[in-house]
Amino acid sequence: MGRVAAVGERTRVAGLALAGVTVVAAEEPHAVREAWRDLPPDVTLVILTPAAADALGPALGAGTRPLTMVMPS
């Protein structure tokens, strides 16, 4: 089983670290895209904040790795 990561605004993702999630705080769109590009290959699920999902745009649909989930607003 792979790792779970969360990408997005620090205030929305920080608490997930308590559950063992790899947290990548990214406040700006360019930081979100960089975090997405640099995800380790063993990450199989990425939890995104709505703003992070918006920043990734079409990149979310390009390919099948990793599985993504967007937090509710």
Side-chain angles (χ1 to χ4, degrees):
M1 180 185 242
R3 284 195 293 168
V4 176
V7 178
E9 306 89 289
R10 182 177 311 278
T11 57
R12 302 237 18 219
V13 298
L16 294 171
L18 296 172
V21 173
T22 300
V23 171
V24 182
E27 305 291 333
E28 302 296 327
H30 72 278
V32 171
R33 290 187 291 273
E34 184 176 314
W36 178 261
R37 184 187 67 238
D38 295 341
L39 285 172
D42 65 337
V43 170
T44 57
L45 172 65
V46 180
I47 302 167
L48 299 165
T49 63
D54 287 345
L56 291 173
L60 284 179
T64 58
R65 181 211 152 275
L67 180 66
T68 58
M69 195 260 347
V70 180
M71 293 177 173
S73 297

